[in-house]
Amino acid sequence: MKRPINTPSGLKQDVYGAIIALVLLLSHAFAASSGKPNILFIFSDDHCQQALSAYDPERITTPNMDRLAKEGMRFDRCYVTNAICGPSRAVIQTGKYSHINGFAVNGIVFDGDQQTFPKLLQRAGYQTAVVGKWHLASTPQGYDYFDVLVGQGPYYNPPMKTTDENGKVVTREHTGYTTEIITEKTLSWLKNGREDDKPFMLMYQHKAPHRNWEPAPKYLTWLDDVAIPEPETLYDDYATRASPAYNQAMEIKAHLNDRDLKLTQPRNFTPEQLAQWNAAYGPKNEAYLKAKPNLSEKEIMQWKYQRYVKDYLRCVKSVDDGIGEVLDYLDETGLAENTVVIYASDQGWYLGEHGWFDKRWMYEESLKTPLLVRWPGQTKAGSVNNDIVSNLDFAETFLELAGVPVPSDMQGESLVPILKGNTPKNWRDTFYYHYYEFPGGHSVARHYGVTNGKQKLIHYYQTGEWELFDIEKDPNELNNVYANPEYSSIVKSLEKELGRLRKQYEVPEEDPDFAEMKRLARERNRKNGA
Ligand code: SGN
Ligand code: CA
């Protein structure tokens, strides 16, 4: 017979358990009545709407992300200001465009001394934490706890930076699958790191599904027996587009390397991980290499597309599983009731559209990021919003949720009224975008532009070229109608709006000297031994 555990008043285990559960629930209810909700910000890297079934069920089911959409609000037009990793994160930290927060391209160091939303939340009594991908090269500031990947971080066996018992920053090695490790650390902070008497703001940030898309052991052969549908624009020839679309380096056909395609072995695996990997990819690769001499160029491209997209979806699946575990924990503890859960990615992504992988462009697939928000009792379950919102609005939203006044130098707007079902009358109906990283990976030209969700005007300012798309008629953005006289009045009005927005956001005429900024970052990293 099982012996009852020792309890203070000799109560039976189940009664004691029930009392503990009641106390926990009451303390959470108390936190709820203090009016300060917890904030769980779930963030992934390079995850597009096309690979999230609440947006698009064609390629994958993501039941746990879908739960957030079913129980909360799905935003269909969340635009990022600069579709690349570090810059998107810096926008979220500060609520300011890249030219103001100073982090316009990857590879420089974020100035963590500036005002950021976690610092403001901390000052307002929130306990703050960040786990997973950081990618701003600075030591996180404004967090009571951090445990972050070093740089991009690998898919397996990641070193992570945190502080030891004495508050010293240390790097610790881990064995296992990074997505699962980030989830475990998140759960462990929720269980053991949280202070019951404070509301929390936790950033749970995945590396996946970033390139080079290495799946977890359990998903190495998942999807092997299905064919993923090809997007309509997989064979885009860029006719009518300005020169940058021809000159990029992100084509599935030409720019995926053997590491991306799993035709070479990963380098940092344990023998056991490598054995599982080879057992899964070995036979598939052998079959492909045997068939390859007789395949046409198009068939090779189709094989690459399937290999790439499946590995990407496998990585998304692990992110979705992790979210499920964390949502279940919130339910079991009663925390769910008073926790606003947000899911987003740093930007969208090309899953073969225009023949591409990667991001960076102002075209729809990378401009838009998924955004799902569940706020029990406030946001209508299953609602869909079509306003133009942005990662520029996240910091302001978190502050308003916490009852902290939004500083006037932040450039976005809180989404709280929208989440409550009331879009303010003067809500933005146009949006300014600016991408800077050229020269840089994948050779995407610098550009800025404006969209009103119906039409989009893009300016490649280094070559002086323009593009105009009628997104309503041409959602795939295949026809550049900039020079079409039928659109001349639209061009004029969007050009004017572009000028107005550049002025409003104080965009300087000249870009900063990025080469110099990168040189300084390298110097600083060398000094810090990074
Ligand atoms: C790496 C990737 C690129 C990717 C950048 C930026 N190459 O350099 O494909 O565009 O990161 O990504 S890889 O072979 O090293 O994976 S970002 O998400 O950090 O902005
Ligand atoms: Ca990214």
Side-chain angles (χ1 to χ4, degrees):
M1 210 182 79
K2 238 168 70 189
R3 250 183 55 202
I5 53 160
N6 255 346
T7 55
S9 53
L11 289 173
K12 287 256 168 57
Q13 187 177 358
D14 49 351
V15 178
Y16 185 62
I19 292 176
I20 296 279
L22 191 67
V23 169
L24 271 176
L25 278 174
L26 284 176
S27 75
H28 294 143
F30 178 75
S33 70
S34 79
K36 299 217 170 191
N38 304 309
I39 298 168
L40 171 63
F41 180 66
I42 311 174
F43 202 52
S44 60
D45 196 286
D46 296 352
H47 187 204
C48 55
Q49 295 187 355
Q50 308 91 287
L52 198 166
S53 47
Y55 285 97
D56 182 346
E58 206 177 1
R59 296 165 191 83
I60 188 172
T61 45
T62 47
N64 298 299
M65 297 174 191
D66 290 7
R67 251 189 85 180
L68 295 175
K70 270 191 212 112
E71 295 167 8
M73 185 175 275
R74 188 188 84 197
F75 289 84
D76 284 358
R77 280 207 284 217
C78 181
Y79 297 154
V80 298
T81 65
N82 181 2
I84 180 115
C85 184
S88 172
R89 287 157 204 268
V91 168
I92 293 170
Q93 287 292 309
T94 60
K96 294 173 184 168
Y97 270 94
S98 303
H99 58 273
I100 305 279
N101 70 44
F103 200 101
V105 295
N106 277 337
I108 60 180
V109 182
F110 177 66
D111 169 15
D113 289 341
Q114 65 187 302
Q115 167 186 282
T116 62
F117 86 83
K119 288 186 195 172
L120 297 171
L121 288 185
Q122 223 176 14
R123 244 177 263 159
Y126 269 70
Q127 196 188 2
T128 58
V130 56
V131 179
K133 187 164 175 181
W134 173 248
H135 207 211
L136 288 169
S138 59
T139 297
Q141 292 186 45
Y143 296 92
D144 296 300
Y145 169 76
F146 67 83
D147 200 344
V148 295
L149 295 173
V150 179
Q152 294 279 8
Y155 269 99
Y156 280 73
N157 312 326
M160 293 177 77
K161 220 162 77 164
T162 186
T163 46
D164 67 10
E165 317 73 66
N166 306 317
K168 196 174 151 248
V169 178
V170 288
T171 301
R172 297 207 165 115
E173 302 296 328
H174 301 81
T175 305
Y177 189 60
T178 302
T179 302
E180 291 166 4
I181 291 170
I182 292 170
T183 299
E184 279 159 27
K185 282 180 184 284
T186 297
L187 283 168
S188 138
W189 185 83
L190 282 169
K191 288 176 190 164
N192 309 316
R194 219 166 39 78
E195 293 166 36
D196 263 336
D197 56 345
K198 278 187 177 176
F200 69 81
M201 189 287 297
L202 168 62
M203 301 178 85
Y204 163 38
Q205 312 207 132
H206 285 290
K207 174 226 165 55
H210 189 274
R211 190 181 182 190
N212 66 330
W213 321 290
E214 291 179 357
K218 70 172 176 192
Y219 289 126
L220 290 171
T221 56
W222 180 62
L223 298 176
D224 266 3
D225 302 328
V226 297
I228 307 298
E230 293 179 356
E232 280 170 47
T233 60
L234 183 62
Y235 306 99
D236 191 357
D237 60 4
Y238 318 119
T240 84
R241 245 65 55 76
S243 68
Y246 296 83
N247 295 333
Q248 43 59 42
M250 56 168 74
E251 292 174 27
I252 290 174
K253 188 172 60 191
H255 303 111
L256 287 173
N257 59 37
D258 283 357
R259 204 172 146 248
D260 298 325
L261 294 167
K262 316 298 161 7
L263 295 170
T264 53
Q265 285 189 0
R267 280 180 229 122
N268 65 328
F269 279 32
T270 65
E272 195 201 345
Q273 289 164 347
L274 201 57
Q276 282 172 311
W277 185 271
N278 287 336
Y281 284 102
K284 298 189 243 187
N285 290 350
E286 214 174 285
Y288 167 64
L289 293 172
K290 204 167 144 208
K292 198 179 165 200
N294 301 316
L295 297 180
S296 66
E297 246 174 59
K298 185 172 175 189
E299 284 167 329
I300 291 177
M301 151 111 169
Q302 288 175 321
W303 181 87
K304 287 183 181 178
Y305 168 78
Q306 292 295 331
R307 168 63 55 98
Y308 150 61
V309 175
K310 285 181 187 180
D311 284 341
Y312 177 98
L313 297 175
R314 290 168 177 140
C315 292
V316 171
K317 197 69 178 164
S318 290
V319 173
D320 190 66
D321 288 349
I323 293 175
E325 284 179 47
V326 174
L327 293 182
D328 284 350
Y329 179 76
L330 296 184
D331 285 344
E332 285 155 20
T333 50
L335 279 169
E337 240 176 276
N338 193 33
T339 302
V340 184
V341 183
I342 299 102
Y343 179 76
S345 176
D346 55 353
Q347 77 295 299
W349 181 259
Y350 297 91
L351 259 192
E353 297 84 2
H354 304 294
W356 294 340
F357 62 99
D358 215 69
K359 53 255 179 177
R360 301 165 192 265
W361 301 92
M362 197 193 169
Y363 301 144
E364 293 291 288
E365 291 83 356
S366 47
L367 176 67
K368 278 183 187 171
T369 181
L371 176 63
L372 308 170
V373 183
R374 183 181 80 178
W375 185 7
Q378 299 287 345
T379 301
K380 194 168 163 240
S383 48
V384 175
N385 179 279
N386 207 28
D387 296 318
I388 297 180
V389 304
S390 170
N391 59 344
L392 188 67
D393 304 326
F394 293 178
E396 296 80 346
T397 306
F398 301 153
L399 292 173
E400 189 175 349
L401 284 172
V404 178
V406 177
S408 60
D409 62 349
M410 285 193 174
Q411 296 181 305
E413 299 292 331
S414 162
L415 302 176
V416 165
I418 296 185
L419 290 167
K420 289 184 171 173
N422 308 308
T423 302
K425 278 213 175 59
N426 57 352
W427 190 257
R428 74 169 74 81
D429 50 20
T430 59
F431 182 77
Y432 179 69
Y433 179 86
H434 200 148
Y435 171 79
Y436 298 86
E437 199 177 290
F438 184 90
H442 304 291
S443 293
V444 174
R446 293 185 197 185
H447 55 287
Y448 57 70
V450 59
T451 179
N452 55 20
K454 298 185 183 89
Q455 290 100 18
K456 183 188 295 176
L457 180 70
I458 306 177
H459 185 38
Y460 301 94
Y461 52 97
Q462 291 174 302
T463 57
E465 292 167 277
W466 293 85
E467 286 176 338
L468 178 78
F469 296 100
D470 185 338
I471 310 167
E472 280 192 318
K473 285 201 189 132
D474 173 29
N476 289 332
E477 297 166 296
L478 294 172
N479 302 311
N480 169 19
V481 290
Y482 180 76
N484 181 336
E486 279 173 34
Y487 285 89
S488 61
S489 68
I490 291 177
V491 168
K492 252 193 216 113
S493 79
L494 284 178
E495 269 172 358
K496 199 168 154 212
E497 182 60 6
L498 187 58
R500 191 189 70 78
L501 290 172
R502 281 173 59 83
K503 210 180 219 165
Q504 178 189 328
Y505 293 124
E506 299 172 29
V507 187
E509 280 307 315
E510 295 279 313
D511 288 347
D513 184 346
F514 297 123
E516 177 61 8
M517 289 170 92
K518 285 191 184 178
R519 196 187 62 73
L520 289 173
R522 274 196 298 273
E523 214 165 79
R524 182 176 146 167
N525 284 338
R526 245 199 318 274
K527 254 195 221 137
N528 295 340

